[in-house]
Coordinates of all heavy atoms in Angstrom, one line a residue:
D27 N 118.5 107.7 84.4 CA 118.0 108.1 85.6 C 116.6 108.4 85.5 O 116.1 109.2 84.7 CB 118.7 109.4 86.0 CG 120.3 109.2 86.2 OD1 120.7 108.5 87.1 OD2 121.0 109.8 85.4
K62 N 125.3 92.4 81.9 CA 126.0 93.1 83.0 C 125.3 94.4 83.3 O 125.0 95.2 82.5 CB 127.5 93.4 82.6 CG 128.3 92.2 82.4 CD 129.7 92.5 82.0 CE 130.6 91.3 81.8 NZ 132.0 91.6 81.4
I67 N 119.0 100.5 91.3 CA 117.5 100.4 91.1 C 116.9 100.4 92.5 O 116.8 99.2 93.0 CB 117.1 99.2 90.2 CG1 117.8 99.3 88.9 CG2 115.6 99.2 90.1 CD1 117.5 98.0 88.0
V74 N 117.6 96.8 94.0 CA 117.4 95.5 93.4 C 118.7 94.8 93.0 O 118.8 93.6 93.0 CB 116.4 95.7 92.2 CG1 116.2 94.4 91.5 CG2 115.1 96.2 92.7
R81 N 115.7 87.3 98.7 CA 115.0 88.6 98.8 C 114.5 88.9 97.4 O 113.3 89.5 97.4 CB 116.0 89.6 99.3 CG 115.4 91.0 99.4 CD 114.1 91.0 100.3 NE 113.4 92.3 100.3 CZ 112.2 92.5 100.6 NH1 111.5 91.5 100.9 NH2 111.7 93.7 100.7
A144 N 87.7 81.3 85.6 CA 88.9 80.7 86.2 C 89.1 79.3 85.7 O 90.2 78.8 85.8 CB 88.6 80.7 87.7
D145 N 88.1 78.6 85.3 CA 88.3 77.3 84.8 C 88.6 77.1 83.2 O 88.7 76.1 82.7 CB 86.9 76.4 85.0 CG 86.7 76.3 86.5 OD1 87.6 76.1 87.3 OD2 85.5 76.4 86.9
P169 N 101.2 94.2 94.6 CA 102.4 94.9 94.4 C 102.3 96.4 94.5 O 101.2 97.0 94.4 CB 102.9 94.5 93.0 CG 101.6 94.4 92.3 CD 100.7 93.8 93.2
R191 N 91.9 102.1 80.0 CA 91.1 102.7 81.0 C 91.1 101.8 82.3 O 91.1 102.3 83.4 CB 89.6 102.8 80.5 CG 89.5 103.8 79.4 CD 89.7 105.2 79.8 NE 91.1 105.6 79.8 CZ 91.8 106.0 78.7 NH1 91.2 105.9 77.5 NH2 93.0 106.3 78.8
V230 N 116.4 110.6 76.0 CA 116.7 111.9 75.4 C 115.8 113.0 75.7 O 116.0 114.1 75.3 CB 116.8 111.6 73.8 CG1 117.9 110.6 73.5 CG2 115.5 111.1 73.3
S241 N 104.5 119.2 72.3 CA 105.5 120.2 72.0 C 106.9 119.6 72.3 O 107.5 120.2 73.2 CB 105.3 121.5 72.6 OG 105.2 121.4 74.0
A261 N 96.1 117.6 57.8 CA 97.4 117.5 57.3 C 98.2 116.3 57.9 O 98.9 115.6 57.1 CB 98.1 118.8 57.8
R267 N 104.2 112.1 59.2 CA 105.6 112.2 59.0 C 106.3 111.1 59.8 O 105.9 110.9 60.9 CB 106.1 113.6 59.4 CG 105.5 114.7 58.6 CD 106.1 116.0 59.1 NE 105.8 116.4 60.5 CZ 104.7 116.9 60.9 NH1 103.7 117.1 60.1 NH2 104.6 117.2 62.2
E308 N 111.7 119.8 85.5 CA 110.4 119.0 85.1 C 110.4 118.8 83.6 O 109.6 118.0 83.2 CB 109.2 119.8 85.5 CG 108.9 119.9 87.0 CD 108.5 118.5 87.5 OE1 107.7 117.8 87.0 OE2 109.2 118.0 88.5
R309 N 111.3 119.4 82.9 CA 111.3 119.3 81.4 C 112.7 119.4 80.9 O 113.3 120.5 80.9 CB 110.4 120.4 80.8 CG 110.2 120.3 79.3 CD 109.0 119.3 79.1 NE 108.9 118.9 77.7 CZ 108.4 119.7 76.7 NH1 107.8 120.8 77.0 NH2 108.3 119.3 75.5

Side-chain angles (χ1 to χ4, degrees):
D27 297 296
K62 296 180 180 179
I67 302 174
V74 174
R81 178 56 184 157
D145 294 324
R191 295 290 83 78
V230 297
S241 55
R267 300 182 299 278
E308 289 296 306
R309 187 80 192 281

